[in-house]
Amino acid sequence: MKIAQLKELLDAELLTHDESLLDHEVYNACCSDMMSDVLAFVKDQGVLLTGLVNAQVIRTASMMDMVCVVFVRNKMPTEEMIRLAEECDIVVMKAHYRAYEACGKLYTSGLVARGKNS
Amino acid sequence: MAENVVFHFDIDGEDFSSAGGASVTVKKKLRQLGIDSEQIRRVAIAMYEGEINMVIHASGGTADVIVSDHEITIVLADHGPGIPDVSLAMQEGYSTARDHIRSLGFGAGMGLPNMKKYTDSMKIETELGRGTTITMTVNIT
């Protein structure tokens, strides 16, 4: 699934500036407010959905080579977080859905974390 | 690589928001050295968890990364309180972090287990009241 499609499915607002990154594919998704749980999950080109707002969310996504972070419940990251994400070529969005609903929408649309080659 | 490449960092224990900066730098440097991306990710995650631990539990410390032809060694040293029961600390889910740390997204009891999981070897030397040194290696294949 392309990040652009994910954005549309979640009716999300793009917060980083490079729209060309929306063309990147995501193959996996992970949803958590606990970053150590996220760090236990290694998959290529994933998206992180979270309700936690601090700079460690972006650093965690960067360590995991994730390509997109979606803040649920319309949580707004700081300018510093957006700048950090842009340095790492990570797309940042916010969506009004709760985490459970956002995950459901992505899962039923085919983002089922089956791996890069499936 | 003719000689080992060494990176040294002082980890600031006062500022949680900047924690992880050394790991981000190491990730970039290893990429410049042409290390395989999967091995870079393993080093970066293990070091990042260690950095966060040093900030949470030990008011900072030092991090050294040594890159040789056959392995990457990460040495994290602090002068914190030490770990009273290492085998308990290695259990997934066991944590002594305070609630405000959990509200920041850490303290889930996955730090040390993740560090072990992503490295080829991990040694913990700890002394109560004196500090902890963790040495991890990731093989370069």
Side-chain angles (χ1 to χ4, degrees):
Chain A
M1 179 186 293
K2 287 191 188 301
I3 297 176
Q5 189 188 350
L6 182 149
K7 177 179 176 293
E8 197 170 313
L9 282 166
L10 298 181
D11 190 22
E13 181 185 338
L14 181 65
L15 300 172
T16 42
H17 296 94
D18 188 351
E19 294 196 9
S20 70
L21 296 176
L22 295 178
D23 216 31
H24 285 186
E25 292 279 343
V26 287
Y27 298 100
N28 290 280
C30 175
C31 180
S32 181
D33 289 350
M34 294 307 284
M35 293 303 106
S36 278
D37 284 342
V38 178
L39 288 162
F41 160 99
V42 171
K43 297 280 184 183
D44 273 339
Q45 288 181 260
V47 53
L48 170 62
L49 297 100
T50 186
L52 180 73
V53 179
N54 67 43
Q56 300 308 340
V57 172
I58 306 298
R59 288 216 179 85
T60 297
S62 165
M63 293 300 150
M64 305 299 289
D65 296 324
M66 286 178 153
V67 293
C68 180
V69 174
V70 179
F71 292 96
V72 295
R73 285 176 281 137
N74 256 338
K75 294 205 172 181
M76 186 69 188
T78 63
E79 283 296 321
E80 168 71 8
M81 291 168 64
I82 293 171
R83 188 185 61 75
L84 261 178
E86 288 183 328
E87 280 175 14
C88 305
D89 286 337
I90 294 171
V91 175
V92 173
M93 298 188 269
K94 70 181 175 90
H96 61 85
Y97 290 108
R98 290 178 292 145
Y100 180 74
E101 293 171 305
C103 290
K105 281 188 172 290
L106 296 183
Y107 194 92
T108 54
S109 300
L111 190 60
V112 293
R114 280 187 297 220
K116 190 171 181 173
N117 300 316
S118 55
Chain B
M1 210 180 298
E3 288 183 20
N4 291 352
V5 179
V6 180
F7 305 108
H8 173 83
F9 303 89
D10 292 313
I11 309 298
D12 181 359
E14 303 301 316
D15 184 7
F16 181 82
S17 68
S18 69
S23 305
V24 171
T25 302
V26 164
K27 197 172 180 196
K28 285 180 189 160
K29 299 276 187 193
L30 294 180
R31 200 174 287 149
Q32 288 166 3
L33 290 173
I35 306 290
D36 173 75
S37 62
E38 180 59 30
Q39 284 152 3
I40 292 175
R41 184 157 56 186
R42 289 169 60 205
V43 169
I45 294 170
M47 182 172 167
Y48 179 56
E49 287 278 21
E51 248 191 288
I52 295 286
N53 268 353
M54 281 200 282
V55 173
I56 292 174
H57 297 289
S59 305
T62 58
D64 290 278
V65 178
I66 304 114
V67 186
S68 75
D69 281 335
H70 60 282
E71 66 183 12
I72 300 166
T73 305
I74 309 151
V75 183
L76 306 170
D78 68 58
H79 297 290
I83 304 170
D85 186 336
V86 172
S87 61
L88 195 56
M90 288 302 301
Q91 284 181 20
E92 290 190 5
Y94 177 81
S95 174
T96 57
R98 292 191 292 271
D99 284 347
H100 80 280
I101 295 298
R102 292 198 179 86
S103 72
L104 294 169
F106 287 89
M110 293 299 290
L112 287 173
N114 276 349
M115 288 158 73
K116 186 173 173 61
K117 174 180 167 183
Y118 288 119
T119 53
D120 291 304
S121 76
M122 181 166 99
K123 183 172 74 175
I124 301 175
E125 295 162 285
T126 187
E127 192 176 342
L128 290 182
R130 299 293 294 271
T132 300
T133 299
I134 297 181
T135 306
M136 298 175 282
T137 60
V138 170
N139 297 335
I140 296 175
T141 50

